[in-house]
Amino acid sequence: MKHTYRTSVKRNTFLFLTPSLLGVLVFYLGPLVVIFYYALVSRPVGGSFVGLQNFKAILQNRAFLLAAKNTAILCACAVPLAVLLSMGMAILLDREIPGKSPIRTALLSPIMVPVASVVLIFQVLFHQNGVINAFLTGYGLNPIDFFHSPWSRIMILLLYLWKNLGYNMILFVAGLSSVPKDLLEMAELEGASGWRKFVSIKLPYLGPTVLFVTVLSFISAMKIFREVYLLTGAYPYESLYLLQHFMNNTFQSMDYQKLSVAAILMALAVSILIGCLFYAEKRIGKDVEYT
Amino acid sequence: MRRITLILLACLVLLSGCRREQITPTAEPQRELDVLHPEQLSYYAERINVDFSPIAILPEGNEVLLVGSRESRRMNPDTRKISSAPFLGTNVAAASEREGNVYCLCSDEDGVFVNQNGELIFRYGLEFADVRSFYDGETGIYTLLAAPTRLYRNEQEIDLPEYGNRLIDPVGFWKLNGTEYLAASGCTEGTTFDDWRPESLLLFPLQEDGLGEPVEISGFSLEMRMLSSDGEFGYFLSGSELYQTDGHGLAWLGNLTGLGIDTARVHCIVPISGARILVSHGNTLTMLCPGEEEKDAAVRIAVWPDWIPDYGYWTAAYLAEHPDVNVEVKAYEDLSDLNLAILSGEADVLFLGSAEQAKTYAVRDILAPMDGILDKERYLYGVLKAGSVDGCLYMMPLNFRLYGMCLPDAVVEAYDYHFENYTELQNCLDEIKGPAHPGRVKEQALGAFLSHGLDAWVDWEKSTADFSSPDFIWILEYCNQGYADTEEYLANTGSTGQHLFLYSKTAYSPYDLLLDYQYEDPRGSRQASTAYGMKGALIPSPGTSHEGLAIQTNFVVSLTANGENRLAAAEFVAWLLSDSAQGAYLNVARLDNSGYSPNRKVTDRLLSNTLTVESEDFVDSARQLLNDADHYGTLTVTDAFLAIIQEEAMGYFSGDCTAEQCAERIQNRVSIYMAEQG
């Protein structure tokens, strides 16, 4: 009887899982196999096995290297800034300050603005004949060519932060609420400084939130391609050329070998990075006891 | 249980609401005809031999009246029997039928006659050179003239209707559901000069006091080609797709290209009894009958982009000779869709509007070489060279034009009719008398330069580009002397510019090679070279990897490597380029003035037939020009590469940056494109 029940549970479990498993198989594992196949053959139709030749070729491809460099620079600047600034704002809003609620709402509002509108606003602001340059020339300063100079990266960084800070901040506010109040009161009684309380109590408790926000910020940084694409098209200036541009363009030109190899290398890099983050979080948060 | 039943019922209601809007054509036929055609009905085609070109088909009881420009016939659609019909006048431009009366609009040099049941009545004192449509209805007699488009009501010219910022391009008069309309394409302005793209079909009701507010019919792809319509039952052809509208809804009835209909040359479409449709196209009459036909082989053609002209002619001509072959044509608007179709083996033959795209496919081994199926000796040397990648032939044009620079013979003689670089061209242009002015709108002038091809700045083999070179900067500066916009251009064409010689000249026909009508006179007419006392020469643009003129064509033909019907596809391509098919096309092309054949024998015949009065030397030099044309100029498709150049040049033309900065920006962006290809 027990055996029959277990068998029935197993069978039902399998039945309920089947649709999801099929989805994973068709939409994730299948394409993954195809990507690995494309990465190892000479051409998409009737190609011959070429080993790691495609990997070697892409590592010598200037466009891929440029895209990888730009994406790395963007992530290296944007992710820490997004984490630190949103954490700072969350700590600020955690205190009793006037206008707390309107500020929080204002910081969250960019999430609700559609991408096309954001891009339009940034075009109006940063165009050669845009608002900012009109302001600068009004004060006798030289206009800045935002789209065709090193300023372009800063412009994209600003756009990214403006769009993502609010959501990250909310996550940190939620994280801060999980810090035990009695620990903070104890530290207060023993005369710990604000910095000490932050480093020794709040930060360890915020570990999982930091990890989560970092991963989310990283994903958002990868997705900034959408805004860059709308602002500058498929072939932007060198400083704004990202990995997704490379992959999008190689897809359009049916260069599936390059596309597959780039996707594999990117997935590998992202996996390593996220693995490192998990490891760091485990190490930092090992002494924290959650209630 | 009851709750589940309710939920299911709600779902059913929702799903029924989501169904595509089905229309029931309410345009009541005035005759006893069954015109209700179900959507996406399968048809097979029957060709009916008629010895003239019917421009209108008017149902008359069990028969139809086929009205040609100079003659007419009666036909019984059931027996296919053709009999004589009354003379309806010469130069018939349009015909219609109302309450049993046949009205024909006939034009001659002095005016227009309307034939009312055999009686010719002189109606207007106007010179109707190009009557597009006329309608003798209850709210007045409307006449629509093309080129330039003018609209008349009861002999009075009335303004063309307006609708938002759309450019209205009238098609003709349609009567739907008892209401009379002026049908028009509503076009929106594109990104480049003089680029208007049709967006939607607009139906302006004809009223006692003029034209009413239009009904907009959208939800389908309106092609650049003029809509063909029956004018009464709402059947119309947009590109190759057949639709029906009742003035509100829309039904798609299928693609006609695979049925052997030359969709670019359709005169009229008329529904007849038995859910059949008569289509007059070119010199052919085709009856579409419901049902399917068994065929032996199949060739699937993928066309990209979907608006390239004349693919309908070729499939129709092939089907006329090979009725046992099933030809399927699918036109793609989006390149990604085409890529997927090729990869999945759904396309055997490609008609591509971009030679660059064909080259990209060839490099990726997606195309099959055509060397084995074509005897190369039979084709022009330059065309074979232009279509080859790594020594294998991957693409062929079915017809082409020559594109080069027309400059004074006396001046270019010193350069041995060939510029080594753009500095030499610059010196040459400086030598020409008259104002050094591009004579065009700025971006148009740049487009003319780019149309020569890009190999002066791009090394395709090494995947490098050099747009920051002084040569390119000079071109930018030269084009920047052009007119700012169309208005300025039109305001100045009467008084300025002696641009007798052009850096861009398209030679459409052997007559163009005579260079007699070489010079675009700004005063509106074309003047013979002798008017200026100088003879012109057609020479290639400076470039590193070409020696001859550029080949201009609407599309190239390629074979896919993994098509499922490779044998049939190879036979199809071989037929397209055969002496007989190319020779037959020559007659049509000569009428359209649209080019030369890649087939050596056919081109020789064209030259010797049309240039009979010229000397042997001239024919030889014309043959030499055609044989030496060895590279594709940029084709009609604006690809990513050209878009970058044009986009950045606009910044320079509007004064946002200097020519050097503009060239630097182009180089910056183009270098990424080139690096991706490497």
Side-chain angles (χ1 to χ4, degrees):
Chain A
M1 187 67 190
K2 200 174 178 182
H3 176 76
T4 316
Y5 173 73
R6 272 191 187 167
T7 313
S8 157
V9 167
K10 268 186 186 172
R11 195 182 57 225
N12 286 343
T13 311
F14 182 74
L15 271 174
F16 279 112
L17 278 176
T18 302
S20 307
L21 283 174
L22 274 175
V24 169
L25 197 71
V26 173
F27 296 111
Y28 287 91
L29 295 179
L32 199 69
V33 171
V34 172
I35 279 176
F36 272 101
Y37 167 74
Y38 279 159
L40 299 172
V41 294
S42 58
R43 60 188 171 108
V45 181
S48 54
F49 180 73
V50 291
L52 297 176
Q53 195 63 41
N54 291 328
F55 286 84
K56 194 180 159 192
I58 207 165
L59 291 171
Q60 291 170 344
N61 186 289
R62 199 181 75 81
F64 175 76
L65 296 177
L66 176 72
K69 187 184 97 180
N70 285 339
T71 309
I73 290 173
L74 184 76
C75 290
C77 298
V79 177
L81 271 175
V83 175
L84 292 175
L85 287 174
S86 56
M87 193 195 289
M89 286 193 300
I91 291 166
L92 203 68
L93 288 174
D94 199 36
R95 296 178 177 184
E96 289 305 318
I97 56 165
K100 195 166 132 178
S101 184
I103 292 172
R104 197 182 294 175
T105 312
L107 285 168
L108 264 179
S109 57
I111 300 171
M112 293 175 281
V113 184
V115 179
S117 312
V118 175
V119 167
L120 187 69
I121 292 166
F122 270 71
Q123 271 172 343
V124 170
L125 285 174
F126 293 100
H127 190 263
Q128 182 93 8
N129 303 315
V131 175
I132 294 177
N133 273 333
F135 184 77
L136 289 175
T137 46
Y139 281 93
L141 298 167
N142 288 329
I144 298 167
D145 192 354
F146 288 102
F147 288 102
H148 312 116
S149 65
W151 284 91
S152 59
R153 279 198 186 125
I154 293 168
M155 183 186 70
I156 294 300
L157 196 62
L158 278 175
L159 195 154
Y160 168 80
L161 291 174
W162 179 72
K163 185 98 177 122
N164 292 289
L165 280 186
Y167 185 62
N168 289 356
M169 181 202 70
I170 292 296
L171 293 173
F172 274 118
V173 168
L176 282 171
S177 66
S178 69
V179 179
K181 292 279 182 289
D182 51 348
L183 274 182
L184 290 170
E185 282 165 11
M186 185 83 77
E188 189 87 46
L189 285 173
E190 292 190 2
S193 65
W195 175 249
R196 179 74 191 197
K197 277 192 286 183
F198 173 71
V199 172
S200 301
I201 301 170
K202 287 183 180 172
L203 199 55
Y205 273 94
L206 280 177
T209 314
V210 171
L211 174 75
F212 183 60
V213 170
T214 308
V215 172
L216 268 189
S217 303
F218 184 68
I219 292 166
S220 306
M222 299 300 252
K223 278 161 61 181
I224 197 75
F225 160 75
R226 193 174 46 175
E227 282 81 354
V228 178
Y229 184 86
L230 287 171
L231 270 171
T232 56
Y235 290 96
Y237 300 95
E238 283 195 353
S239 56
L240 291 179
Y241 183 68
L242 302 174
L243 268 176
Q244 287 90 335
H245 280 107
F246 180 81
M247 293 201 267
N248 198 42
N249 295 341
T250 45
F251 177 73
Q252 282 288 339
S253 63
M254 276 183 113
D255 200 346
Y256 294 148
Q257 276 59 49
K258 279 194 197 120
L259 171 64
S260 305
V261 174
I264 290 169
L265 291 178
M266 193 171 112
L268 205 65
V270 171
S271 304
I272 291 171
L273 195 77
I274 291 179
C276 289
L277 284 172
F278 270 104
Y279 178 74
E281 193 271 332
K282 221 173 198 178
R283 289 291 299 263
I284 293 165
K286 65 180 178 184
D287 299 327
V288 178
E289 281 180 18
Y290 295 97
T291 51
Chain B
M1 193 62 197
R2 187 182 293 170
R3 193 176 292 171
I4 291 169
T5 315
L6 279 171
I7 291 168
L8 280 173
L9 273 172
C11 288
L12 274 173
V13 169
L14 278 173
L15 280 172
S16 63
C18 293
R19 279 176 62 226
R20 186 178 167 177
E21 189 192 359
Q22 293 281 338
I23 66 155
T24 307
T26 47
E28 285 295 328
Q30 294 172 1
R31 303 161 206 92
E32 296 295 319
L33 290 173
D34 171 17
V35 294
L36 182 62
H37 288 176
E39 198 170 354
Q40 287 183 271
L41 179 75
S42 291
Y43 295 104
Y44 66 90
E46 271 186 36
R47 290 170 80 89
I48 299 168
N49 289 325
V50 284
D51 54 356
F52 70 109
S53 180
I55 55 165
I57 303 170
L58 307 173
E60 279 190 334
N62 292 328
E63 294 188 323
V64 288
L65 183 66
L66 308 172
V67 183
S69 172
R70 292 168 188 277
E71 57 206 308
S72 59
R73 301 270 194 282
R74 277 210 175 85
M75 188 188 81
N76 185 321
D78 298 321
T79 60
R80 285 32 160 195
K81 193 181 169 191
I82 295 172
S83 55
S84 59
F87 174 72
L88 295 167
T90 52
N91 295 330
V92 175
S96 72
E97 179 272 346
R98 188 161 65 89
E99 292 172 3
N101 293 325
V102 175
Y103 294 82
C104 283
L105 197 61
C106 318
S107 62
D108 69 9
E109 286 176 6
D110 301 320
V112 174
F113 289 92
V114 173
N115 183 318
Q116 196 170 332
N117 281 347
E119 189 186 352
L120 287 175
I121 302 164
F122 187 81
R123 272 279 169 85
Y124 315 116
L126 296 162
E127 193 173 321
F128 283 18
D130 191 7
V131 178
R132 183 177 285 179
S133 186
F134 89 107
Y135 191 82
D136 198 349
E138 288 161 13
T139 51
I141 303 161
Y142 286 86
T143 313
L144 176 66
L145 305 186
T149 312
R150 283 181 297 170
L151 185 62
Y152 289 85
R153 180 171 176 264
N154 298 337
E155 302 177 37
Q156 291 291 314
E157 186 170 354
I158 57 173
D159 290 337
L160 285 171
E162 289 183 359
Y163 186 65
N165 56 357
R166 305 266 177 94
L167 179 82
I168 301 300
D169 186 14
V171 176
F173 302 102
W174 296 7
K175 187 175 180 183
L176 302 169
N177 203 12
T179 310
E180 300 157 356
Y181 295 100
L182 170 73
S185 300
C187 307
T188 50
E189 194 166 12
T191 49
T192 55
F193 170 76
D194 207 16
D195 175 22
W196 291 88
R197 299 197 169 275
E199 282 289 316
S200 57
L201 172 64
L202 298 169
L203 298 172
F204 294 89
L206 306 180
Q207 296 171 347
E208 296 287 347
D209 53 348
L211 300 169
E213 279 299 306
V215 179
E216 187 169 1
I217 309 284
S218 51
F220 70 105
S221 174
L222 197 56
E223 299 287 333
M224 298 294 279
R225 293 201 294 266
M226 182 61 67
L227 295 172
S228 311
S229 161
D230 69 293
E232 191 169 357
F233 301 110
Y235 286 83
F236 67 92
L237 190 69
S238 177
S240 304
E241 311 286 340
L242 182 64
Y243 297 92
Q244 189 184 18
T245 178
D246 60 355
H248 302 285
L250 185 76
W252 176 68
L253 300 175
N255 187 306
L256 298 192
T257 312
L259 296 170
I261 291 171
D262 181 3
T263 50
R265 295 179 177 82
V266 168
H267 303 299
C268 62
I269 304 160
V270 169
I272 56 170
S273 59
R276 293 170 297 176
I277 298 173
L278 272 175
V279 183
S280 156
H281 54 107
N283 289 320
T284 314
L285 189 65
T286 298
M287 185 153 64
L288 305 178
C289 307
E292 288 195 27
E293 243 186 350
E294 287 291 317
K295 301 225 175 171
D296 297 342
V299 181
R300 288 165 308 165
I301 305 167
V303 179
W304 178 81
D306 54 358
W307 47 261
I308 59 174
D310 260 2
Y311 65 85
Y313 165 82
W314 290 104
T315 47
Y318 185 70
L319 281 167
E321 276 192 33
H322 304 83
D324 55 325
V325 179
N326 183 24
V327 178
E328 291 172 15
V329 186
K330 193 162 182 192
Y332 294 87
E333 188 182 356
D334 189 48
L335 186 59
S336 303
D337 293 340
L338 173 72
N339 289 346
L340 288 174
I342 295 171
L343 274 187
S344 56
E346 285 175 20
D348 305 309
V349 177
L350 303 179
F351 284 7
L352 294 169
S354 163
E356 280 314 314
Q357 191 58 37
K359 268 187 190 166
T360 304
Y361 287 147
V363 169
R364 310 256 182 273
D365 291 333
I366 284 162
L367 300 183
M370 297 198 282
D371 305 70
I373 59 165
L374 297 175
D375 177 6
K376 288 189 175 181
E377 291 297 315
R378 302 168 78 92
Y379 302 99
L380 297 172
Y381 161 77
V383 171
L384 295 173
K385 184 188 165 198
S388 296
V389 176
D390 294 334
C392 293
L393 181 67
Y394 286 102
M395 70 193 94
M396 283 291 274
L398 296 184
N399 74 309
F400 68 97
R401 304 173 290 273
L402 289 178
Y403 190 76
M405 300 181 159
C406 176
L407 297 167
D409 191 85
V411 179
V412 292
E413 196 179 2
Y415 296 92
D416 198 18
Y417 300 96
H418 183 83
F419 295 122
E420 287 297 324
N421 49 47
Y422 272 88
T423 312
E424 286 190 359
L425 172 66
Q426 188 181 347
N427 294 336
C428 172
L429 288 176
D430 287 344
E431 283 178 49
I432 298 172
K433 302 289 180 199
H437 190 280
R440 284 183 167 144
V441 175
K442 292 173 185 183
E443 56 261 37
Q444 218 188 1
L446 181 64
F449 271 111
L450 298 179
S451 295
H452 287 289
L454 301 168
D455 66 351
W457 309 286
V458 179
D459 186 335
W460 299 103
E461 281 182 17
K462 291 180 186 163
S463 293
T464 55
D466 183 17
F467 281 94
S468 47
S469 72
D471 282 352
F472 190 72
I473 293 170
W474 170 77
I475 286 180
L476 286 174
E477 287 171 341
Y478 182 76
C479 296
N480 197 36
Q481 294 169 38
Y483 301 110
D485 51 35
T486 323
E487 276 180 32
E488 192 184 316
Y489 170 75
L490 293 173
N492 286 284
T493 45
S495 58
T496 67
Q498 292 282 317
H499 45 278
L500 313 179
F501 298 100
L502 288 169
Y503 41 85
S504 64
K505 164 68 189 168
T506 305
Y508 293 88
S509 72
Y511 293 111
D512 281 335
L513 298 175
L514 292 169
L515 305 180
D516 267 358
Y517 299 95
Q518 202 55 75
Y519 316 114
E520 284 182 16
D521 188 286
R523 286 156 292 193
S525 62
R526 285 171 173 241
Q527 299 287 329
S529 59
T530 48
Y532 303 104
M534 278 195 273
K535 187 177 177 290
L538 193 61
I539 60 167
S541 66
T544 50
S545 65
H546 68 258
E547 290 177 0
L549 297 164
I551 295 168
Q552 253 194 0
T553 181
N554 294 322
F555 64 91
V556 290
V557 176
S558 295
L559 279 171
T560 59
N562 69 326
E564 286 174 10
N565 311 298
R566 270 176 275 181
L567 192 64
E571 281 174 9
F572 174 64
V573 170
W575 179 86
L576 291 176
L577 293 157
S578 66
D579 296 354
S580 61
Q582 287 286 317
Y585 182 68
L586 191 74
N587 295 326
V588 181
R590 193 164 49 184
L591 293 176
D592 293 351
N593 220 12
S594 65
Y596 317 93
S597 165
N599 184 307
R600 195 184 290 276
K601 196 172 162 186
V602 175
T603 297
D604 274 353
R605 203 165 61 224
L606 173 75
L607 291 177
S608 50
N609 285 353
T610 48
L611 301 178
T612 46
V613 291
E614 296 304 315
S615 68
E616 276 297 314
D617 284 351
F618 179 78
V619 174
D620 283 346
S621 64
R623 189 179 290 130
Q624 193 68 39
L625 278 177
L626 286 161
N627 198 48
D628 289 350
D630 59 353
H631 68 289
Y632 285 100
T634 51
L635 301 190
T636 45
V637 174
T638 305
D639 59 15
F641 199 112
L642 287 178
I644 294 170
I645 299 172
Q646 284 169 339
E647 194 183 310
E648 293 300 336
M650 289 296 278
Y652 166 59
F653 294 149
S654 59
D656 286 347
C657 58
T658 63
E660 286 78 8
Q661 283 171 329
C662 174
E664 201 60 50
R665 287 173 185 180
I666 291 170
Q667 175 61 22
N668 185 302
R669 292 176 67 186
V670 160
S671 64
I672 297 175
Y673 178 94
M674 298 308 296
E676 271 180 6
Q677 312 303 316

